Amino acid sequence: MVYRLLFGFLLPLLLRPSLVLGDPPELKVGFYQYTCPYVEVIVRDEMARIISHVPSLAAPLLRMHFHDCFVNGCDGSILLDSIPGLPSEKESEPNLSLRGFGTIDLVKAKLEQACPGVVSCADILALVARDVVLLTHGPYWNVPTGRRDGLRSVKDDALNNLPPPFSDATRNLNHFFIPKGLDAKDQVVLLGGHTLGTSHCSSFSDRLYNFSGTQMPDPALDRRYVPRLKSKCRPGDITALVEMDPGSFRTFDASYYRHVARGRALFTSDGTLMLDPFTRDYVLRQAAVAAAGGYPAEFFTDFVASMVKMGNMQVLTGAQGEVRRRCGAVNPMGM
């Protein structure tokens, strides 16, 4: 076991797609058609049952896939528990508010019953993300599968690779999106996923009480909205939650862009999309569709494309990594 843990530090360097000779086998739709033909039915049935009882899990489960892919690729490393002396990504500050790990474990258990040792945890995250969007009235898409699970998870990797909500959109684009092969369109589209869920006040309270050390609210925030946010977020409150898309936070749609356009985005990373001509035009276009009650065809199409693109980032395939039998731990030697 000790050998496996030590080897886990070196193996990712050897197995990362960018460092192996030749291109790894590509992901493909229907990867499990012969080895676990009902995988997507099993995942969707389980997710339909869970979301019907706990609809608030949709947003964190979508966010979990994002947080997994942005940290050394879509390899399920976000799911690994810490081991003595090596805190995992779960313990990094950006991930402390993540929920839904138990849901992934339930789905994995169902798949292990049907197809032992076949479906990776990384693929489960991708399928669950698609299904929670669909179950909240968003678009359906075919998910390419065939990812393998990584063997390591390091706390600081998450802190260094996840775009912070308090940073402006341009900095996040240049430091976190572009280096991973994503562009400005992917950024503005993926942030549209904030149509689901809530945020802790601590993620944006500086914009209410002490923006850039001024002891004043962020002037980019709608001044009529600030008192409402302050009534929910008292100074120092780290537990209160605020809907990111008020009135529609459990429905996947384009209405979030209306809040961004009006200066009501909670995060600096989202509000500053209005400062760039390209992302501003995209926000205003989607906001207009939402205001008119129209079907967000462009946003849905773009979101599908960006999710597939993100889901392909730095994946392990073929003989790389492993297929974990339990998502929270690497397999024991010999499995």
Side-chain angles (χ1 to χ4, degrees), residues 274-329:
M274 297 300 290
L275 300 180
D276 175 82
F278 173 81
T279 54
R280 176 185 172 87
D281 285 349
Y282 192 91
V283 168
L284 293 177
R285 198 158 61 247
Q286 306 315 316
V289 171
Y295 179 76
E298 181 185 22
F299 171 52
F300 279 11
T301 299
D302 292 342
F303 189 79
V304 166
S306 290
M307 284 295 288
V308 171
K309 187 175 178 181
M310 183 188 77
N312 288 340
M313 294 194 315
Q314 294 177 272
V315 294
L316 302 174
T317 57
Q320 301 168 335
E322 67 180 12
V323 174
R324 289 185 218 134
R325 301 301 290 267
R326 187 170 71 82
C327 291

Side-chain angles (χ1 to χ4, degrees), residues 21 37 55 99 102 133 157 167 178 185 213 249 288:
L21 294 176
R99 298 185 299 125
V133 169
D157 285 353
S167 184
I178 289 176
K185 184 174 183 180
F249 75 110

Side-chain angles (χ1 to χ4, degrees), residues 143-218:
V143 176
T145 47
R147 298 167 189 80
R148 303 269 288 183
D149 295 321
L151 300 174
R152 70 193 295 264
S153 180
V154 179
K155 175 182 177 181
D156 287 346
D157 285 353
L159 191 63
N160 296 331
N161 284 280
L162 291 171
F166 49 80
S167 184
D168 71 80
T170 299
R171 180 183 183 279
N172 280 351
L173 174 66
N174 292 327
H175 284 77
F176 299 101
F177 284 82
I178 289 176
K180 300 180 191 304
L182 302 175
D183 56 26
K185 184 174 183 180
D186 296 311
Q187 180 188 32
V188 67
V189 168
L190 290 171
L191 289 178
H194 286 160
T195 184
L196 291 178
T198 58
S199 170
H200 284 90
C201 291
S202 55
S203 295
F204 61 90
S205 60
D206 63 311
R207 301 188 74 200
L208 303 179
Y209 295 102
N210 189 26
F211 182 68
S212 298
T214 62
Q215 303 296 315
M216 297 291 290
D218 183 348

